[in-house]
Amino acid sequence: MEHYPEELRTPPVTLVCIVGHQDLHATISTHLHSEQPPINTLALPDFTKISIIDKSPKENDNQLPSAYTSSGIIKRDWLLKHRTRVPAVVAALFDADQLSGDPAQWLQVCTDLENLKAVIKGRNIKLVVVVVVRFNSKDSITEDSLASLRKRAEVDAKYVITFIPDDASELNQSLNRLGNIFGELAVTFYRDEGRRVKTRLEKKSYGSIEFNVRYCFKVAIYAEFRRDWAEALRMYEDGYHALREMIGTSTRLPPIQRLVEIKMVAEQFHFKISTLLLHGGKVVEAIKWFRQHNASYKKLTGPTEINFFHWEWLARQFLVFAELLETTNATISSPASTVADRTSSDWEFRPAYYYQLAAQYLKEKKSCVEIAVSMMPAETDESCDSIVPSLYVGQYARLLDLGETSVMQLITDEDYTLFALTEEGKKLGDSTEIIALLKKAYEAYNNLKFQRAASFCTLLMAKEYFLTSDYTNSKQHFDKLTSLYRQEGWVTLLWEVLGYLRECSRKLSSAQDFISYSLEMSALPISSISSLQEMKDCGPAGSPSLKQVENIHKEVFAIVREETLNEEGENMGGIEVNSDHPLHLEIDLVSPLRVVLLTSVAFHEQIVKPQAPTSITLSLLSQLPSPVEIDQLEIQFNQSECNFIIVNAQRRESSSISHIHPDRRVETVPVIQLFTNKWLRLTYDIKSVNSGKLECTYVIARIGPHFSISCGAESPANMHDLPLWKFEERLEASPTKDPAIAFSGMKVTQVEEPDPQVDLILGSTGPALVGENFLLPVTLTSKGHSVESGELKINLVDTRGVGLLSPRETEHTSSSDNLHVELLGVLCDPTQDNNDGIRKVQQSFGLVSVPFLNVGDSWSCNLEIQWHRPKPIMLYVSLGYSPSSGAPKVHIHKSLQIEGKTPVVISHRLMLPFRRDPLLLSRLKRSPESGQTVSLPVNETSILVVNATNCTEVPLKLLSMSISEDDATQKNKAKTTCTIQSGIDNDPTLLVPGEEFKKVFTVKPELNASKLNLGSVCLRWRRDHESSKEVVTKQSLPDVNLESPPLVITLECPPHGVLGEPFTYFARIHNQTKLLQEVKFSLSDSQSFVLSGPHNDTTFVLPLSEYILSYKLVPLSSGSLQLPRVTITSVRYSAGFQPTTAASTIFIFPSKPQFLSEPEKKSIPADQAPQQITA
Amino acid sequence: MIVCIAVVGHQNNPLYIQSFTEADDALKLHHIVHCSLDVVDERVNNPKKSGPMLNETFLGLLYPTENYKVYGYLTNTKVKFILVTTDLDVRDADVRNFFRRFHSAYLDAVSNPFHVPGKKITSKTFAERVSNIVKSVSFHTTG
Amino acid sequence: MAPAVPRSGDAIFANVERVNAELFTLTYGAIVRQLLTDLEEVEEVNKQLDQMGYNIGIRLIDEFLAKSNVTRCVDFRETAEVIAKVGFKMFLGVTASVTNWDTEGTSCSLILDDNPLVDFVELPDTCQGLYYCNILSGVVRGALEMVSMKTEVTWIRDMLRGDDAFELQVKLLKQVPEEYPYKDDE
Amino acid sequence: MVREVSESCMDSLLTEIVSSYCNRFYATKPELAARRIEAIGYQVGHQLTERYTIERPRFNDHLEAIKFICKDFWFELFKKQIDNLKTNHRGTFVLQDNKFRWLSRVSVDPSVEISGAAQEPSVMSENKSAQATGLHLYFPCGIIRGALSTLGIPCAVTADISNLPACSFVIRIKV
């Protein structure tokens, strides 16, 4: 819009004029300006200046008779004049003093008024008289003085006002008063003016159609002054249409200039109209109007030599309208309206659309200018220098200098054209402007998320840059486009863009880009579009066709092969690939060049043995239009030892061979050539050295001495997800023949670790025995491998997988004694065990380093394990080593289950003294079967028998058995409660499996405590061979109750009798209490004896004394006989009891025997004759 | 007269595009078709804007260029048909009718077993059929 | 057992369960395309199609005999007629005509003007040499073999290759009536 | 008048696809065979959908599309509609056909085994019919997937035949 003069762009503002009393001007004008609607002020310091608003100067040069200048549609400066020099109202300011008092001054006032009236009369400008008075003297002004003033000024009373500057409130009032009067008068002024012109229109009293138009314009402007938009709009439209009429009819000017003038005027009308419509929110109407405006002028291009003007004009129409749309926020128009009439689509509501077209027409103009200039006569006579814009809008004339006055002389179309063209020449190129417009459009589209339209603008910009050979910018813009076109598969569009990019990179001589773009282009699926007819202006690359594609292909490979091209040799500009400029392209999964070279690599096996050869299939595919020959392929793996090179026999000489690593594996094939969309499949064996992942990373194709493409290897399995052509109808064969590999083949395989060649032997000797340090020999013998940095891992695991601590025990801290099984240590043979580097041993885990072993060597160690409870466990031993230094580790695992058994079972028995039966009340009360928790009589010597049974399969040597007091009891007994004596310590005895060993102890409780702890049996034993160490097995004995028996019976009789010989038999009843005990006793008869003595009776036994029953017995038969049984019943305790049968048996010899005491002793079995030593 | 007709796939990729005009503006037509996709997207993505004709396959006028009018049609299977014509005032009915016929031609083309779903339509029969349809229709409004 | 007269193909077709032909046509088309991508070689595809047809033929014959009341097909000439008029009709809903008998009556042509298999089909240039309908020849061969007629079936004309009709030449190689497996099927 | 062919043509074709793919071409790789059969179904589904949705306003949401599959689409194929449609409203739909035609024929058809055995000796011979049934189902699954993705709804489809002859297809829409 800045093309238009200010006065046209903005709605007109009322102009008033104040004269005299300069000091107040500032205040007044600022006030007026802030009025609503604002009023501009033309301030004249004093009355001498009023001539400025006088008609005269221009009027009279109108008077000057000049046929040509008279005619024109709209005066260039008319509007400006009315906004700056022709006030609607003039206010004359006088000081009150001038009125009253000095007549000279009054006279002055009158003359001033006269002059003023004279000036404004012609224009019927309204007049206001302002009297300025001081606040204090405001009453000094007399009615009649004002009246006389009014008469002088010939204005009615209300237009004579007083103005009081020196009091705030008064000043305000005065200003407002002034403002209102101005406003009122201005409206009337403009109305009258408007009406005046309008009547002429209505009376059709205008000479030519030009006047018609002009009058419409004026009326409209006056209406605008009054803010009567409707009226204004109406008049503008009338004018516009009238103007359109003229095109055919008017003959006033030479055709070109006439057209130019009309367009210029039409432009102004149009601008006014659209502005009014848009500001009135009538967007749809505005657009309809614009469409029609555009339609009615579009065709009027005028003759070719000048038609660039037309295009420029048209472009401006679009640009201005776009700007108007943009400024009126009404652009987001109601959707209803857009859909309602299908004839106008949403697009027409978008400034972007107009910007874009503006650019398009400007481009049009540009090309026209170029043509016109080319046709312009070389020598430009300076005549057109004197040509200037004339008085009228859109007219030009030659300024003839006639001495004192100068004359506007009409010019010929030729002159005009020449002039216009030279003007063009002075202007700077349109390109920048075009690009600016496109940029605007681009941004507008972007905001609407119209990415494609935006891209189109980008394309146009890029092309413009290209034309102005700003290749850097051009390339940069084109580059933005490729991704969209690729992604959406618009091959034709991509083709055009790439074509430009290719040229740009050529111009910028960037080989890298040039080659890449060329390759991509030549690999484009042209076939799918070549069905279309030949297309023109597809950019530098020409129409996409197979031939074209092949040419590009040829050119590229000529360059990389460093051949000299025959005819198109020169057009490949500065692009060269050679030793100074080698070129290396990378192609990955997402690269657009994937179609140029696609490599798929598949191992035939997912898992391979090291050193064992496996097959790898390498498939290459190219979409390039013509066959591509590759000099050599370099296949790279993550394990670089596996890298190898495939050489094309045809191209041996190619220098690229030279820089092959000498010890590289090199395969040669007769020829490596890729045909369009045909897989080239090569299969090779490959050996991996190291275990672990083996992955093919890159395949590098060398073409020509200094060009290579390195292509990320792909797995066939993953290629289904990334088809080469998303949208193209192309048969896509699978990279390998074998469907399985095609479906699941991978470019990576797993290399296992080599088989171990070392024996690991766990020697196991039967079950382990609880308590002993069980030694388990581990032997490893190296066959085939030497063992380096070997490491032995030992692990004890519960057979049921559970840990070695039983859950109950785990809570209290796992001290070794609640650990069932424990790895005590690893005993290595000191002779071999040179390095003792790592040796970690925990309760169930051990780690031992193994010294270096040569092939054939062997090494062994013993695991020392101890069982605390009988339990089967699993022993895992694993050896990790590397066959040679640096080589990856190899692992062997062995495991063995070992049973832990209890070696001996220990049991015991307690017995009372012989033929002496204490009355133990507890025993009576208790039920017989639970007689086990024994109770012992205090101060009586009883007997403890302990037996140990060997329950293993091996003989055990029993070293000793003893009873030790538990440290527990040690504590809680101050003085000994009992003495335990053992028999003679027997020398070690050998127990065969299952055999039982007995030992007898006597126990004599002394103190009367209720309980007695007997301590624990302690057995020292070892396996029956010297090497094995002795083991101590402890087993604590159960506690026994103690009680002092009230009564004790002792039977006394000789050790034996002889048949028929009498002997005496006493039964002593001791009363150990301090009470008198009543005792019943009875004696049962016996067949084997005749006896004399009391049978049964009741008697009293005195405290702490004894009562003796004595009998005389005569044996009647021989052998071991039961003595007559005595039964005692204590009345107090109502407890009867008998001596044990054992106690009351006697042996009767048939006749008196003869023997020594020695054998006699022997003859008695151990259990009946306790070895007894009484303290 | 119809100057260009295009079938555009799910990812806004051209499945078929044919212009019926002297060669030199074929590419321009491709650009026009491509840009028109913006409007289709807009229409479909914010239905409120497209109001009543929400699910209708016929999308109506997409956008006017200086010398063309571009119409759109969106099948239930998200395939777009774009029509570019030089006739500046056209009855919707005629365009609808054209699209209907074009659609059935398209159907038989994609029913060809050798047509891969979502890929370009290369069938010659289709091409012939389309050009026949195009020849047969005329959008000249009778006043 | 009285030799029942063969029922007319139309009658049978009217009574059998039928499905939308589009489904059938498209399915077959999809198979052919898939075979082309999997087997790559056109020749191989022809072979497999024929094989599939054969397998189908040896199964369909039962249904055919059951529904059509054709008890024994001793005479090749008659058999050909039955296939053309009844067989094609009851399965594909179209009839073929039998022509081009050679003198000794061991070879003839089945001619199909209408063939549901090829609706919508247009052979791409890459598939020249493909016998799109090869499954049909297989079916005929298989079916005839089950009624102990060893035949050789070849395509003479193919509309997809621009001919005006589909012509299937059936050549009788040998016939073994003794081995006729379907003695009496009550 | 819509063109028709005998149903046994269709059945034989299906049986044959399965047996040739899992007995002849990919005998040792059922998963490959399955993939191919599914692909065949996919194309059919795609093409049928293009045909059956002509002259029909566009679907607003997934549910509408699924309903179309259950009603019109299914009817075109099987002369019956899906019997039961369930959804978790989070992109998973279960379409149950109480008597799925293609299974009712297939699973009882003994010739599957026969032809299978004829083609190649005793590879994966056991529960062949079960396997054949399974492979048959890849075809309809493919059809459904093809149909939906043609309607712009990418998804995964599986079949469940735990209670024959009913068969339910589970559609999981990819978000």
Side-chain angles (χ1 to χ4, degrees), chain A residues 370-442:
Chain A
E370 276 150 11
I371 297 167
V373 169
S374 65
M375 297 190 308
M376 188 169 71
E379 88 306 326
T380 53
D381 56 0
E382 67 299 326
S383 64
C384 58
D385 303 351
S386 59
I387 293 181
V388 296
S390 81
L391 302 175
Y392 293 96
V393 173
Q395 274 192 30
Y396 294 87
R398 177 170 289 117
L399 189 63
L400 294 184
D401 200 341
L402 314 173
E404 73 291 346
T405 58
S406 57
V407 183
M408 289 284 180
Q409 187 201 19
L410 209 137
I411 55 172
T412 63
D413 274 352
E414 291 65 30
D415 293 350
Y416 173 72
T417 319
L418 209 52
F419 164 74
L421 265 176
T422 37
E423 286 303 299
E424 260 315 308
K426 293 184 192 128
K427 276 202 269 159
L428 64 146
D430 298 298
S431 296
T432 42
E433 202 169 336
I434 293 173
I435 290 171
L437 286 172
L438 288 170
K439 195 146 180 50
K440 273 180 174 304
Y442 167 82

Side-chain angles (χ1 to χ4, degrees), chain A residues 342 345-347 350 357 361 452-453 456 459 485 488 490 492 496 532-534 537 725 727-729, chain B residues 12-14 17 23-24 27 30-31 34 38-39 41-43 61 63-64 66 92 114 116 119-120:
Chain A
R342 288 280 180 74
S345 84
D346 331 16
W347 278 65
R350 311 261 159 77
L357 287 172
Y361 290 123
R452 296 176 191 82
F456 185 62
L459 176 74
Y485 293 157
E488 294 187 347
W490 285 79
T492 38
E496 181 191 14
L532 295 176
Q533 69 276 52
E534 164 96 357
D537 56 30
W725 304 116
F727 309 120
E728 298 309 317
E729 175 73 285
Chain B
N12 288 317
N13 52 309
I17 179 162
D24 47 4
L27 185 63
H30 286 209
H31 277 296
H34 189 240
D38 284 330
V39 190
D41 283 358
E42 194 195 28
R43 292 265 174 94
L61 178 70
Y63 78 106
E66 278 302 87
D92 271 4
F114 297 101
V116 187
K119 304 252 172 145
K120 285 211 168 73

Side-chain angles (χ1 to χ4, degrees), chain A residues 932-947:
Chain A
Q932 265 321 81
T933 22
V934 208
S935 46
L936 292 181
V938 187
N939 301 329
E940 300 287 328
T941 309
S942 5
I943 290 143
L944 169 64
V945 182
V946 179
N947 8 7

